Amino acid sequence: MIIEQQYIDLYNQAKGMINRHSSDVLNAPREQAFADFQKNGFPTKKSEEYKYTDVSEFFNLDYGFNLNRLAVPVDPYEVFKCDVPNLSSLLYFLVNDSYFAKPGVGKSLPASVFVGSLKDFSEKHPDLAAKHYGKLAKTENDGIVAFNTVFAQDGFVIYIPKGVTIEKPIQLVNIFRGDVDMMSNRRLLIIVEENAEAKLLSCDHTIDEGRKFLSTQVTEIFVGKDARFDFYEMEENGVDTCRVASTFVSQEANSNAVVNSITLHNGRTRNNYEVTLNGQHAETHLGGMAIVDKTQSVDNHTFIDHAVPHCTSHEMFKYVLDEKSIGAFTGRILVRKDAQKTEAYQTNKNICTTADAKMYTKPQLEIYADDVKCSHGATIGQIDENALFYLRARGISEKEARMLLKFAFMADVIDNIRMDAFKDRLKLLVEKRFRNELAKCAGCSGC
Amino acid sequence: MKRRKFNLMLEIKNLHANVNGKEILRGINLTVRPGEVHAIMGPNGSGKSTLSSVLAGNPVFEVTEGEVTFEGKNLLDLAPEERSCEGIFLSFQYPVEIPGVSMVNFMRTAINEHRKYKKQEPISASDFLKLMREKREVVELDNKLASRSVNEGFSGGEKKRNEIFQMAMLEPKLAILDETDSGLDIDALRIVANGVNKLKSEHNATLVITHYQRLLDYIKPEFVHVLYKGKIVKSAGPELALELEEKGYDWIKKELGE
């Protein structure tokens, strides 16, 4: 409990300030979360669920907090050039963990819809916020979720009421910047009510290279009956940024969700995805890609809970690991006893391009129903030498041929994206990444 | 055998090659001049495909002795892609499926790499599409196939036609056809062979590697060589292929005193 102690002390000293700059809804679970955090601490490698990434190490540094909510000294709309430009006029920022929006952004949205600051939302719609906040992300089981709940003061909300469709993708850009090493603890709350529809692209960018950043992010997504929601997360962080993100999705009957995690550039990353299919004929598409090199690491830990019959899940993650990078994937799928007629398909394919790169993969299917279709496949391999020679025999240089094959390997992950502007842009970004032209965040005007 | 008085194109001298430490080629000697068509025949396991792989630069094979000169350059010093750009084309016996790489992207990259090698500007989009259209017709390759991933889901015949399509696109000086007839029905064989014949000129040469005579009914060689146990043991005119078709390879083994 040595690493934890500085944070315990910090909370004890600063809880008044934390609460003062947040809202009642966010403050309500704080004490319980603090108790849970004191009890469990950060997960270490001794925990089966965290054995490939020592998350507690991420926290073993003296980070600054912005608990007093000092104003962001920059206008992100001015300094930030998006890697996915022209995607949407619905562009919002979280700078570290402070919400920032240009006045007038989102005015094209119907009045019943709320997109913006979690703090503002919980003051405007306290009942709605209290009904959902912290209800999927339980603090008693996970030290990281508890920690985030203790320190989170604001975040981002999408609330789409019954029957409303938002055609335009909503884009959230999370920027890290600071004159000292900084930590940000943010929350995302997504409520898509019955027969409503929305799409969110959330991007992480480190702006100040040379500084160390740590972000914890807890996302709760409620997808109502017959509702549709797409969630794409793209990480383009610096090598000194650590990210721990936990996403919880609850899907009602006949709903359809995409949860897609793209790690283009990072330092050390741990993503938890937990999808619960609560209503019959719900369909989920969980997937993503990770492209890592140097000593970067990415650990995607996924859990799909087929709680009721007639649901479908498609899961596909792909990694390309270069140099001394480390990847991990855990794919737990639980098909409960009564969840008959479940269809669950899981694929995890990985390429290690050097002898030093490491990949750990663990498919974990627990099937208690007896009338289901489930499959899983996990591979760790190298670039196909026959394909490489075939391309070279047509005059394509070895370097270019390798790039083509790595890109081709990721093609089906990109094809699964249901946001056309993002899909096209991602093709370019992935190619640039494999050509080493995306060594750092391209979003900053200072770069 | 009459030989044209052209310059040498390919000269193989005492070529030895190993795969996984096992010697497959044991001293090959062969000379090819522009405009010539050579057939290399031989029983299974004689080293035919090894020879084609070594000429194309497959890193799986290790050359242990001998030399190969292509238009005066030491071929063995060149990477596979450089050999391609110099004008060597291998039609694969087993073309590789590459999901996720479109035929269009593949061919455009290949053409541009060839142009870069010759210090030329990249091809324009409209010229490229025109070229694709024109060359597709050489082997009657369906437009639908050209828009798919490389060889993915192609039938055996479509894969071989695709090889000749790529050959038409790249216009090699020396085409090596490795068992291009295997797995083809008679119609596909005719289309592939016609494609090869359309591309023939007095400036380029063809090396046809085959087990059977039937491809040679369409692509007529001037020289036929028999490869056996890693060596060329007999060379003659086209009549040799017919004799092999009729009598098999046993009489050659007998001639060699086996």
Side-chain angles (χ1 to χ4, degrees):
Chain A
M1 281 295 190
I2 297 163
I3 300 172
E4 286 82 356
Q5 194 58 47
Q6 58 169 317
Y7 299 107
I8 291 168
D9 293 345
L10 175 67
Y11 179 72
N12 280 327
Q13 287 160 20
K15 68 172 111 175
M17 188 198 292
I18 293 170
N19 286 337
R20 198 160 58 246
H21 292 287
S22 188
S23 71
D24 291 346
V25 176
L26 277 83
N27 292 339
R30 233 182 269 286
E31 282 297 317
Q32 182 58 48
F34 184 56
D36 291 334
F37 173 66
Q38 282 180 293
K39 191 173 91 222
N40 295 325
F42 294 119
T44 67
K45 279 189 159 180
K46 284 179 193 154
S47 155
E48 176 69 22
E49 304 304 323
Y50 283 87
K51 67 191 284 191
Y52 303 117
T53 307
D54 190 345
V55 174
S56 68
E57 243 177 43
F58 293 7
F59 292 85
N60 196 10
L61 241 168
D62 188 12
Y63 292 106
F65 282 69
N66 185 12
L67 300 177
N68 212 11
R69 313 314 284 173
L70 297 173
V72 179
V74 293
D75 180 350
Y77 289 92
E78 294 295 321
V79 302
F80 185 79
K81 284 203 197 77
C82 180
D83 260 351
V84 190
N86 310 321
L87 177 73
S88 172
S89 53
L90 299 171
L91 174 63
Y92 302 84
F93 286 93
L94 285 175
V95 181
N96 299 329
D97 44 20
S98 297
Y99 175 76
F100 194 105
K102 207 155 62 174
V105 167
K107 68 175 180 218
S108 62
L109 293 168
S112 60
V113 168
F114 187 102
V115 178
S117 150
L118 174 58
K119 183 168 170 283
D120 295 349
F121 178 73
S122 58
E123 282 158 358
K124 197 175 166 194
H125 302 284
D127 295 343
L128 208 48
K131 197 178 141 195
H132 295 95
Y133 182 77
K135 294 300 177 283
L136 298 178
K138 302 272 193 245
T139 57
E140 65 258 36
N141 305 323
D142 188 317
I144 302 287
V145 171
F147 179 87
N148 177 280
T149 308
V150 171
F151 288 103
Q153 291 170 288
D154 198 359
F156 184 71
V157 171
I158 296 177
Y159 168 64
I160 315 288
K162 190 172 166 179
V164 175
T165 293
I166 305 301
E167 295 278 355
K168 264 188 201 167
I170 298 164
Q171 189 177 10
L172 172 67
V173 177
N174 303 291
I175 290 177
F176 300 111
R177 69 165 316 278
D179 302 324
V180 296
D181 300 341
M182 287 291 293
M183 181 191 293
S184 78
N185 301 293
R186 60 176 187 258
R187 297 290 285 221
L188 270 60
L189 179 63
I190 318 287
I191 307 164
V192 185
E193 288 186 346
E194 189 178 330
N195 197 28
E197 180 170 354
K199 292 184 168 88
L200 172 65
L201 169 64
S202 171
C203 310
D204 274 24
H205 292 274
T206 308
I207 284 195
D208 289 301
E209 293 285 341
R211 289 275 162 239
K212 291 183 168 61
F213 293 97
L214 167 62
S215 76
T216 75
Q217 173 184 291
V218 173
T219 304
E220 294 172 282
I221 301 173
F222 298 83
V223 188
K225 190 167 163 276
D226 299 318
R228 293 159 305 279
F229 182 66
D230 285 18
F231 181 44
Y232 304 96
E233 284 197 284
M234 182 166 75
E235 183 177 357
E236 284 184 80
N237 282 333
V239 289
D240 290 323
T241 301
C242 294
R243 168 187 151 104
V244 198
S246 301
T247 301
F248 301 86
V249 184
S250 171
Q251 283 186 242
E252 298 305 321
N254 230 5
S255 62
N256 191 312
V258 169
V259 177
N260 205 309
S261 159
I262 292 146
T263 310
L264 269 191
H265 200 275
N266 74 322
R268 302 191 68 190
T269 298
R270 163 72 181 214
N271 293 319
N272 295 316
Y273 293 100
E274 191 175 314
V275 179
T276 309
L277 300 168
N278 285 316
Q280 295 200 11
H281 300 286
E283 185 177 315
T284 202
H285 301 261
L286 174 60
M289 67 165 85
I291 303 171
V292 280
D293 51 20
K294 303 190 240 335
T295 55
Q296 299 169 345
S297 70
V298 173
D299 181 348
N300 283 305
H301 192 276
T302 71
F303 174 37
I304 298 174
D305 184 351
H306 281 266
V308 297
H310 294 290
C311 290
T312 305
S313 64
H314 297 272
E315 182 171 16
M316 177 165 68
F317 278 85
K318 288 191 166 186
Y319 291 54
V320 172
L321 303 109
D322 203 348
E323 295 174 315
K324 291 182 174 177
S325 58
I326 299 173
F329 169 79
T330 304
R332 186 175 166 220
I333 294 177
L334 172 62
V335 181
R336 292 184 193 264
K337 192 161 163 268
D338 298 325
Q340 301 295 2
K341 304 286 180 189
T342 286
E343 291 187 42
Y345 307 105
Q346 182 188 82
T347 313
N348 171 232
K349 289 186 179 174
N350 312 288
I351 290 179
C352 290
T353 62
T354 66
D356 291 325
K358 289 192 182 77
M359 180 70 206
Y360 303 93
T361 177
K362 189 168 89 168
Q364 192 182 344
L365 276 66
E366 294 173 40
I367 302 169
Y368 299 101
D370 57 10
D371 184 12
V372 301
K373 279 187 206 166
C374 295
S375 69
H376 66 92
T379 59
I380 302 171
Q382 282 106 41
I383 296 261
D384 179 350
E385 292 294 330
N386 289 325
L388 186 65
F389 176 61
Y390 189 76
L391 295 175
R392 293 179 72 190
R394 297 299 177 251
I396 300 172
S397 70
E398 184 177 356
K399 195 175 154 203
E400 189 69 20
R402 283 185 187 279
M403 201 288 298
L404 276 176
L405 291 173
K406 288 191 274 189
F407 185 82
F409 178 72
M410 291 302 191
D412 47 0
V413 180
I414 298 174
D415 283 342
N416 281 347
I417 288 170
R418 307 192 293 199
M419 197 187 276
D420 290 342
F422 177 49
K423 187 195 257 182
D424 293 345
R425 188 68 188 167
L426 187 61
K427 284 179 188 165
L428 198 73
L429 291 173
V430 168
E431 187 181 327
K432 274 173 84 175
R433 176 66 172 102
F434 282 132
R435 288 187 194 284
N436 261 329
E437 290 165 7
L438 204 72
K440 58 180 180 172
C441 166
C444 169
S445 61
C447 293
Chain B
M1 275 188 284
K2 61 177 187 340
R3 302 224 61 165
R4 291 184 181 87
K5 283 181 184 167
F6 291 138
N7 287 336
L8 290 180
M9 179 185 268
L10 179 74
E11 195 173 24
I12 304 174
K13 281 187 192 160
N14 190 32
L15 181 66
H16 290 248
N18 287 357
V19 61
N20 299 325
K22 191 177 168 223
E23 188 168 54
I24 308 286
L25 300 186
R26 297 174 170 137
I28 302 252
N29 293 291
L30 181 69
T31 306
V32 179
R33 292 179 165 80
E36 293 179 347
V37 177
H38 291 247
I40 295 184
M41 304 184 73
N44 285 331
S46 57
K48 300 190 299 291
S49 282
T50 299
L51 177 61
S52 62
S53 293
V54 167
L55 291 177
N58 190 333
V60 172
F61 299 88
E62 185 197 358
V63 174
T64 51
E65 213 185 315
E67 51 188 79
V68 182
T69 318
F70 182 72
E71 296 197 314
K73 291 191 177 108
N74 179 0
L75 192 69
L76 300 176
D77 273 354
L78 302 178
E81 54 269 33
E82 293 170 316
R83 298 182 196 198
S84 170
C85 293
E86 286 289 341
I88 289 182
F89 181 90
L90 170 62
S91 169
F92 282 61
Q93 184 180 2
Y94 303 109
V96 185
E97 295 195 15
I98 313 179
V101 176
S102 70
M103 274 304 299
V104 172
N105 196 15
F106 170 48
M107 274 292 100
R108 190 177 21 229
T109 309
I111 292 273
N112 281 336
E113 292 265 21
H114 277 247
R115 292 175 72 100
K116 196 163 99 187
Y117 194 81
K118 291 176 195 136
K119 305 207 162 32
Q120 294 169 344
E121 290 294 306
I123 191 166
S124 75
S126 62
D127 285 353
F128 176 72
L129 289 175
K130 213 175 110 197
L131 189 68
M132 285 278 280
R133 209 165 33 235
E134 189 185 305
K135 302 298 184 182
R136 249 190 357 246
E137 284 166 13
V138 174
V139 284
E140 300 167 36
L141 191 74
D142 198 312
N143 187 25
K144 267 181 258 159
L145 294 180
S147 62
R148 295 230 298 259
S149 287
V150 178
N151 292 322
E152 192 188 26
F154 286 30
S155 71
E158 285 165 348
K159 282 180 182 168
K160 294 299 170 78
R161 272 197 263 172
N162 191 18
E163 293 295 288
I164 307 306
F165 163 68
Q166 293 169 41
M167 176 177 149
M169 291 289 286
L170 297 174
E171 298 179 333
K173 291 172 188 156
L174 174 66
I176 305 163
L177 310 180
D178 186 5
E179 307 267 2
T180 294
D181 49 340
S182 70
L184 290 188
D185 62 34
I186 198 74
D187 290 332
L189 185 71
R190 189 181 43 78
I191 292 169
V192 163
N194 281 345
V196 172
N197 287 333
K198 276 184 218 163
L199 300 170
K200 227 161 52 180
S201 80
E202 61 182 34
H203 304 294
N204 59 31
T206 313
L207 204 55
V208 185
I209 291 173
T210 182
H211 196 77
Y212 301 105
Q213 152 69 24
R214 61 175 198 159
L215 181 62
L216 305 181
D217 288 340
Y218 297 95
I219 304 172
K220 299 212 184 308
E222 299 154 271
F223 308 96
V224 176
H225 311 275
V226 176
L227 189 62
Y228 182 61
K229 289 190 172 170
K231 277 185 177 174
I232 289 177
V233 293
K234 201 171 184 65
S235 296
E239 69 284 355
L240 179 57
L242 294 168
E243 201 174 352
L244 290 168
E245 181 75 2
E246 199 180 314
K247 299 200 264 179
Y249 290 99
D250 284 351
W251 64 276
I252 289 191
K253 292 177 193 171
K254 263 187 213 134
E255 267 191 15
L256 293 170
E258 287 187 9

